[in-house]
Amino acid sequence: MSEARATIAENSPQKPEGGKLPPNSKMDPNQLEFVVYKGMMMPQLSEPIEVHVPKVKNFQLRDSDVLLCSYPKSGTHWLWRVLDMLVRGSAEYSDRFPDNAMLDLMLTEIIDKVESPRVLISHFPADLLPEQLKDGGVKVVHVYRNPKAVMASLFFQMQATGKMPDLTFQKLEAMIFSEKAPTKNQFYYWDTVTEYEKHNPQVNIFHIAYEDMKKDTAGSIKKIAEHLGVKASDELCSEIAEAVNFNKQKQQEEKLGGDLQKSLKFYRKGEVADWKNHLTVAQSERFDQVLKERAATCPFSRRYCPAE
Ligand code: A3P
């Protein structure tokens, strides 16, 4: 995988104008180059990753901030929209865009200019998240998803970016499971979350599974609202659930984000079991094996362990 450097141009759309980030500015991941840092694939910004990572760690959070963390393709955009609605107390779409609040993608100077209430996002391994979270004041939500579904979603996302035109499911499987792969996998990400929580019990984190969100969206939103400590009536939770229903959200986000958003396939199928149409039985069994091996130490693996 390419380790080539850098490309968010100086005049790229996320650069703040007059000190204020345009709420609906768009990030084009097709323009991004990636670097491998501490085993994770990370976007290369206009500053070196070795500079950016410590800046994120020391980033000054506000008490009203919410941080959404996830392994990519776990439903981040979905949850971000839910959280943005909850912190504003409205089921209307704001003209904000999730990518503008992404600690991994944006310079901290830009995130600093985002008005409160802010819902920030990060795919960074948990040990690289802002230190201030350890005070317990800022609420964290972690969304996780069946690794088989993540693999299928990742495949179609990578295909959409055109960066790996000869990618096959077989090659992706090798990238996920090979010890020699240049990047670590979702299991590694989960380990960082588990370890982080174990060593920092005061971090205020709520875990939600993509599949539980699908099964009972309004009920899950209610639980998230309780964690955030925001007032959300059953009626508002149902309205938000309705507003972020897959087809509605896809339509709204593509209206907000235009052709770029359409091409990126962040809103592809939105189903729990679409992976069954793409993974082979052997690939599925390989995941089952790893999930089983990790069940004792990783609660997220345990969640997807098949019954004996
Ligand atoms: P699929 O590719 O399986 O459809 P992320 O935002 O972390 O990149 O995750 C993307 C995945 O979340 C995609 O999965 C996408 O379709 C799904 N998704 C996005 N919005 C959703 C929604 N409103 N409801 C259910 N799934 C959604």
Side-chain angles (χ1 to χ4, degrees):
M1 237 170 269
S2 161
E3 288 205 24
R5 293 262 145 179
T7 52
I8 292 183
E10 264 297 284
N11 58 354
S12 64
Q14 74 276 16
K15 196 167 190 286
E17 283 162 11
K20 187 169 184 290
L21 182 73
N24 200 18
S25 61
K26 291 163 218 146
M27 159 67 65
D28 182 354
N30 296 328
Q31 300 289 321
L32 281 176
E33 295 296 333
F34 290 87
V35 286
V36 178
Y37 181 80
K38 296 205 170 182
M40 294 295 280
M41 189 79 108
M42 297 200 178
Q44 179 66 63
L45 308 184
S46 57
E47 62 189 6
I49 190 76
E50 298 79 6
V51 172
H52 184 64
V53 167
K55 277 169 70 180
V56 168
K57 216 157 182 20
N58 295 318
F59 185 67
Q60 183 78 43
L61 296 165
R62 302 173 197 151
D63 288 347
S64 60
D65 285 344
V66 176
L67 179 72
L68 171 61
C69 60
S70 64
Y71 188 77
K73 312 318 298 167
S74 301
T76 321
H77 288 69
W78 185 19
L79 264 291
W80 185 87
R81 202 44 92 179
V82 166
L83 293 169
D84 185 57
M85 289 177 176
L86 278 177
V87 296
R88 289 182 303 104
S90 163
E92 296 295 317
Y93 275 71
S94 70
D95 62 358
R96 296 202 204 191
F97 223 59
D99 296 341
N100 290 350
M102 193 150 196
L103 289 168
D104 321 13
L105 278 182
M106 290 289 160
L107 300 183
T108 50
E109 292 81 356
I110 293 177
I111 306 253
D112 255 339
K113 303 229 160 36
V114 177
E115 284 163 13
S116 290
R118 297 185 301 191
V119 180
L120 308 173
I121 304 177
S122 181
H123 294 316
F124 277 4
D127 49 311
L128 300 184
L129 293 175
E131 278 295 294
Q132 208 186 319
L133 293 178
K134 295 180 182 170
D135 300 344
V138 171
K139 309 279 176 24
V140 184
V141 175
H142 167 228
V143 59
Y144 60 101
R145 188 181 189 189
N146 185 341
K148 299 175 191 178
V150 166
M151 179 184 177
S153 188
L154 189 61
F155 176 83
F156 291 106
Q157 171 92 88
M158 287 170 94
Q159 208 180 45
T161 68
K163 289 215 183 269
M164 299 183 74
D166 57 353
L167 184 69
T168 59
F169 268 88
Q170 211 176 0
K171 284 185 186 163
L172 186 55
E173 181 192 358
M175 284 160 61
I176 291 170
F177 290 109
S178 165
E179 297 270 305
K180 291 191 188 130
T183 55
K184 298 192 171 140
N185 58 22
Q186 184 179 0
F187 297 107
Y188 166 78
Y189 178 85
W190 281 352
D191 284 348
T192 71
V193 177
T194 311
E195 283 299 300
Y196 182 71
E197 231 188 331
K198 195 159 81 189
H199 295 294
N200 304 288
Q202 63 285 29
V203 174
N204 212 333
I205 188 163
F206 180 77
H207 306 278
I208 178 93
Y210 178 98
E211 296 75 15
D212 292 340
M213 274 290 290
K214 280 293 281 191
K215 202 165 163 192
D216 178 10
T217 309
S220 301
I221 292 174
K222 185 84 183 168
K223 286 184 195 153
I224 295 170
E226 279 160 13
H227 167 68
L228 299 184
V230 299
K231 273 198 196 134
S233 62
D234 291 349
E235 197 186 359
L236 178 64
C237 292
S238 299
E239 280 170 17
I240 295 177
E242 179 60 21
V244 299
N245 147 297
F246 179 76
N247 289 327
K248 282 216 176 116
Q249 184 171 358
K250 181 177 163 73
Q251 198 185 34
Q252 284 291 335
E253 306 283 359
E254 291 181 351
K255 204 160 89 187
L256 276 172
D259 289 344
L260 171 62
Q261 196 61 31
K262 275 187 202 140
S263 71
L264 292 174
K265 300 233 160 68
F266 279 117
Y267 307 89
R268 190 184 64 89
K269 279 273 171 94
E271 288 169 10
V272 167
D274 178 59
W275 62 267
K276 291 185 181 168
N277 298 318
H278 307 290
L279 270 66
T280 62
V281 171
Q283 282 164 343
S284 169
E285 285 175 355
R286 196 160 183 192
F287 274 108
D288 289 341
Q289 181 64 33
V290 177
L291 288 164
K292 208 162 126 191
E293 283 163 13
R294 290 173 155 262
T297 52
C298 173
F300 315 113
S301 291
R302 199 151 55 240
R303 169 72 168 71
Y304 299 106
C305 248
E308 291 293 336

